[in-house]
Amino acid sequence: MSASSVVLRRGDSLDCLNEFEAEATGHGILTREFEDFVLHPADPGAAKALIVGVDLSTCDRVREVKRSLRRIEQQIDDSCALLEGDAHVYVIIKGGAARSSRVLPIYETLAEKLHALAGSSHGIEITSRVIDCTDCTDSSLLARRIVGDVSSAEDGTPASALIWHELADSSISQAALSDYL
């Protein structure tokens, strides 16, 4: 990723993403709020990644998780129109009482759907990652993992859903590939 590349941020403000901007800036990556980027599109830099924070902590049932994710799915798809090819989309989730073995397949479906929509709706190839960071205890490590993934030329799976503990000892691409295998 070049120094003029941009990572767009959208959605809910999550504590686990507090360190991201500083980490990105340290690697020459500019972060911009989605709305600001839309209002000032002539600013230099190509949008090569999108990070969407999603706070599901008030969802008590799996059905509420599905409903909430359906509502933001279109926003994410619309946001992909501002990305260039070979882009990354990260949906960072803070879960709630609805955390169960039944939510990870919902996250996997969302990742796959976002990947497919970007291709069919916008003609771009994206890597889509849905990451449940409910148990994230190290926002600095999460920031390093995302910046490393955005900056990496590593090929991985086009869409995946991960949980925080999978990122403790490996990169996002490695965790996604291990999950795929």
Side-chain angles (χ1 to χ4, degrees), residues 4 10 12 26 46 55 62 87 90 104 121 130:
S4 63
R10 185 171 196 178
D12 298 325
D55 187 350
V62 173
Y90 302 92
L104 195 55
S121 299
V130 178

Side-chain angles (χ1 to χ4, degrees), residues 9 14 57 63 77 99 146-148 167:
R9 289 185 61 170
L14 304 177
S57 61
R63 181 178 3 181
D77 182 44
R99 298 190 69 223
I146 295 172
V147 167
L167 304 180

Side-chain angles (χ1 to χ4, degrees), residues 134-171:
T134 302
D135 299 325
C136 179
T137 56
D138 189 345
S139 58
S140 181
L141 178 59
L142 177 61
R144 287 193 307 273
R145 294 288 191 239
I146 295 172
V147 167
D149 197 56
V150 169
S151 302
S152 173
E154 254 182 87
D155 284 336
T157 59
S160 62
L162 303 167
I163 54 178
W164 167 247
H165 78 81
E166 293 177 289
L167 304 180
D169 296 320
S170 64
S171 70

Side-chain angles (χ1 to χ4, degrees), residues 66-132:
K66 286 182 181 179
R67 193 176 318 123
S68 295
L69 292 177
R70 250 185 262 122
R71 279 195 301 262
I72 65 157
E73 184 181 301
Q74 188 61 50
Q75 290 177 350
I76 296 170
D77 182 44
D78 292 344
S79 301
C80 287
L82 297 177
L83 299 175
E84 292 190 352
D86 296 325
H88 300 264
V89 174
Y90 302 92
V91 180
I92 308 298
I93 294 177
K94 177 183 177 187
R99 298 190 69 223
S100 72
S101 59
R102 296 184 348 206
V103 295
L104 195 55
I106 296 167
Y107 299 162
E108 289 170 351
T109 300
L110 176 62
E112 291 166 1
K113 193 169 188 179
L114 292 173
H115 174 75
L117 281 171
S120 63
S121 299
H122 308 290
I124 61 170
E125 184 72 24
I126 67 164
T127 301
S128 174
R129 308 280 187 232
V130 178
I131 306 172
D132 184 337

